[in-house]
Amino acid sequence: MQIAQGQMRKLHLCADCAQEQGVTDSASFSLAEMILQGGGQPEATGETPDVRCPSCGFSLDDLRKTQRLGCSHCYIIFREELLPMLRNLHDAVLHTGRLPQGVAATRRLREELDGLKAELGDAVAAESYEKAAELRDRIHQVEQALDQLHN
Amino acid sequence: MMRFDTLLRHPASWMSARGKDGDVAISSRVRLARNLAGREFPGWARPASRSEVLDEVEPALLALSAMGDPFVRGYDKLERESRQVLVERHLISREHAARGVGSAVFINRSQSLSIMVNEEDHLRLQGLSAGFGLDEAWDTAHGADCELEEKLEWALDSQLGYLTACPTNTGTGMRASVMLHLPALALLEQIPQVVQGANALGLAVRGLYGEGTDALGNLFQISNQTTLGPSEGEILARLTKVVTRVIEVERQARANLVETRPRRLLDRIGRAYGALCHAWETSSVDALNNLSLLRLGVELGIIERHLLDDFDLLLLEIQPAHLQRGAGRPLEPEERDEVRAAILRERLQDLPPPRPERLRQGGTV
């Protein structure tokens, strides 16, 4: 019985296969290796211009076929295709978990900066110059903190 | 550096020790997938690039505070039979065992931390613990992650979190799981309900060796499916809640069987005992299923516990790669069944038969 992603299917295998499928069979190794190693990057398919990641050469076609990505840059190149895929898999497209200390700090500061800039816009529009001056000071502070993190 | 034989002779304490809720929960693990920024993922990378990744991460892995006196081996120097032994010990994945150039494994002395290099992702950090020990497993994996992030630059996205080769792991990159022994629910044919319930809450239920494997020996792994959206803490809390509930339900099922079907229960355990102690040809499926019933007998108090302290080790010894390593040569399937039966007879020869009169007072805790 195999249960994954809400689906159950029965595998009919002899005892040894059931126990050892892919575990000791040396033939399955070479097969796995062949598939897993991404075996030589495929030649261009020709007619239809396929979008490729400029960093690693992985194509949209590869993504559709393998449901895998070639490198982290692919997440930017194929974002449009990926977001619905991620939403489908996880019901969400925003990471709220931890990030490495430095990165998390940078992100927090950037968010704060965006918020402050928006507030500044409102303050200027409302002609609250005192508040605007205060906000400019804070924006300056956050920008300095960001500079520090990056150095 | 620890030798392979030393690793094999001293099985992990998480494997041999009885942890929290050890009557149902066998072991726990937390795995974090991490990739280096600006590098092709292993499945798409050329062999040379994978080797460079290994060279880059190796000093950082060896410097981990939890990595004292580790077992470290590149797969160019670890034959496939030995990798299979590590798969059977749950220290590496089947997928990783099948990999080649640039793949390596780093296992600390206590085997509570196993790091796979160039699996589907550049790094897979696994924390392992006995019983229902998700917190401990998390501390181990998270501790390694925190130390590594000071030295290595991870592939990240401010919106999507940690980036992984497969979108199913994007976000936290975390897969947490608990291995449960559910013989009573299996006897009562209630496993499908457990699976449905877990699935409805976004959790997966898999067999003994993870994805795509059969539920042998009534052993089931429950793990999170979602890695993007909820935080690590939220994912672990949800899994903990469900596992706690499944453990309760299994205990209720055991009590229910003792109450309503004692004869059936004694019959199954008695037959398992007979087959294990007296059979001359035992397939691994039969062995695992019978050992599951014997373990149930121990938990119900009708089979002596002390002789089965190394129950999980026996479970390992009869796996194909372990059998062949013990024999020192490849064995045909029929030979394996014969050798397996002999090991079981020998190891269980001093085990007294079940004592039915203890059934009621023994019970589950």
Side-chain angles (χ1 to χ4, degrees):
Chain A
M1 180 177 50
Q2 188 180 339
I3 311 148
Q5 295 178 326
Q7 291 178 341
M8 197 191 302
R9 75 193 162 94
K10 233 177 166 95
L11 299 172
H12 293 281
L13 297 164
C14 76
D16 284 296
C17 304
Q19 172 56 21
E20 290 147 28
Q21 50 168 316
V23 177
T24 55
D25 179 8
S26 60
S28 76
F29 269 125
S30 39
L31 184 66
E33 201 140 26
M34 212 167 69
I35 298 166
L36 291 171
Q37 287 186 348
Q41 325 209 334
E43 295 151 39
T45 38
E47 302 83 7
T48 41
D50 194 13
V51 186
R52 281 186 185 275
C53 171
S55 276
C56 73
F58 202 75
S59 72
L60 188 56
D61 208 34
D62 294 325
L63 168 61
R64 287 177 181 153
K65 262 189 250 160
T66 64
Q67 304 284 300
R68 299 284 190 282
L69 294 139
C71 73
S72 47
H73 196 63
C74 292
Y75 274 91
I76 297 167
I77 303 299
F78 306 126
R79 203 147 189 110
E80 212 173 301
E81 182 91 2
L82 266 171
L83 288 178
M85 200 191 265
L86 287 165
R87 194 183 294 282
N88 192 29
L89 285 165
H90 303 284
D91 264 346
V93 286
L94 183 65
H95 174 65
T96 65
R98 73 177 300 276
L99 286 172
Q101 298 280 301
V103 176
T106 305
R107 187 164 79 156
R108 263 200 311 277
L109 289 171
R110 288 236 169 87
E111 282 169 359
E112 194 183 345
L113 196 61
D114 289 347
L116 288 170
K117 282 179 176 165
E119 269 188 69
L120 177 64
D122 292 346
V124 171
E127 300 185 10
S128 323
Y129 297 114
E130 208 172 313
K131 192 173 179 200
E134 203 179 293
L135 286 166
R136 273 194 200 96
D137 287 344
R138 280 177 59 197
I139 286 172
H140 186 61
Q141 281 169 358
V142 176
E143 281 172 340
Q144 274 185 329
L146 269 169
D147 276 350
Q148 257 171 3
L149 263 184
H150 288 166
N151 295 332
Chain B
M1 212 76 85
M2 186 169 32
R3 296 174 51 229
F4 191 67
D5 284 336
T6 314
L7 178 89
L8 291 194
R9 268 202 313 277
H10 304 281
S13 63
W14 60 264
M15 200 174 272
S16 52
R18 194 178 164 89
K20 178 176 173 282
D21 295 317
D23 57 326
V24 181
I26 308 297
S27 61
S28 303
R29 77 179 51 220
V30 170
R31 173 273 268 166
L32 298 173
R34 295 290 182 260
N35 288 284
L36 298 182
R39 285 264 183 200
E40 286 146 14
F41 297 138
W44 185 244
R46 290 182 181 81
S49 161
R50 289 200 300 268
S51 296
E52 283 163 26
V53 166
L54 176 56
D55 290 343
E56 186 178 341
V57 300
E58 185 165 10
L61 297 184
L62 289 174
L64 285 172
S65 53
M67 203 44 101
D69 192 22
F71 170 76
V72 179
R73 200 59 58 86
Y75 283 6
D76 50 341
K77 297 198 183 68
L78 189 66
E79 64 276 25
R80 285 173 173 166
E81 292 70 24
S82 301
R83 295 183 216 165
Q84 284 315 317
V85 171
L86 296 181
V87 172
E88 291 176 359
R89 294 217 171 177
H90 299 279
L91 289 168
I92 63 171
S93 63
R94 288 187 305 154
E95 292 76 8
H96 195 234
R99 299 242 162 185
V101 180
S103 290
V105 63
F106 292 66
I107 301 168
N108 72 347
R109 183 135 196 121
S110 65
Q111 299 173 44
S112 59
L113 175 65
S114 167
I115 299 181
M116 292 180 268
V117 181
N118 284 316
E119 207 245 23
E120 184 178 86
D121 295 298
H122 292 140
L123 290 175
R124 290 272 174 105
L125 318 172
Q126 297 195 99
L128 307 146
S129 66
F132 190 7
L134 281 174
D135 290 346
E136 199 187 326
W138 160 257
D139 287 344
T140 305
H142 175 57
D145 185 34
C146 288
E147 285 182 50
L148 291 174
E149 74 188 25
E150 312 241 311
K151 297 178 179 168
L152 303 171
E153 197 192 333
W154 299 141
L156 283 173
D157 182 292
S158 62
Q159 184 194 349
L160 300 176
Y162 294 95
L163 302 179
T164 54
C166 182
T168 53
N169 296 311
T170 307
T172 59
M174 182 180 80
R175 187 86 57 211
S177 68
V178 183
M179 178 91 73
L180 298 174
H181 181 226
L182 306 175
L185 287 170
L187 279 172
L188 291 169
E189 295 177 353
Q190 285 174 3
I191 296 296
Q193 285 96 306
V194 172
V195 173
Q196 278 164 20
N199 286 168
L201 293 162
L203 303 175
V205 183
R206 299 193 169 95
L208 183 56
Y209 284 101
E211 215 163 331
T213 63
D214 245 336
L216 296 164
N218 300 316
L219 292 166
F220 298 87
Q221 285 183 53
I222 302 191
S223 62
N224 63 301
Q225 287 276 59
T226 298
T227 57
L228 179 61
S231 69
E232 291 84 353
E234 287 164 340
I235 292 171
L236 288 169
R238 185 185 299 173
L239 180 61
T240 298
K241 204 169 154 187
V242 173
V243 169
T244 304
R245 179 71 190 132
V246 175
I247 290 172
E248 276 169 21
V249 174
E250 168 65 22
R251 285 179 183 150
Q252 283 162 12
R254 290 179 189 179
N256 175 355
L257 281 171
V258 170
E259 195 60 40
T260 63
R261 298 191 221 179
R263 197 179 59 217
R264 171 109 189 272
L265 198 55
L266 289 170
D267 182 71
R268 298 294 294 269
I269 296 169
R271 282 169 190 273
Y273 172 86
L276 288 167
C277 295
H278 299 291
W280 282 71
E281 279 183 333
T282 307
S283 69
S284 42
V285 173
D286 283 349
L288 284 166
N289 290 334
N290 285 328
L291 282 170
S292 161
L293 288 164
L294 213 57
R295 189 200 285 265
L296 177 62
V298 171
E299 299 302 340
L300 296 176
I302 62 172
I303 286 178
E304 296 270 349
R305 182 185 295 279
H306 71 276
L307 281 167
L308 285 173
D309 268 353
D310 49 1
F311 207 97
D312 296 290
L313 305 184
L314 186 55
L315 217 69
L316 290 177
E317 268 182 67
I318 56 161
Q319 303 284 334
H322 276 79
L323 275 184
Q324 302 191 73
R325 191 172 178 88
R329 66 187 173 90
L331 301 170
E332 294 298 316
E334 305 85 64
E335 273 186 296
R336 290 206 284 263
D337 290 355
E338 190 189 331
V339 175
R340 184 179 291 116
I343 290 176
L344 287 164
R345 284 199 315 274
E346 195 238 303
R347 295 287 301 280
L348 299 175
Q349 64 181 344
D350 295 327
L351 185 69
R355 297 179 59 180
E357 71 280 6
R358 290 194 181 173
L359 187 57
R360 274 164 204 286
Q361 72 235 39
T364 48
V365 267

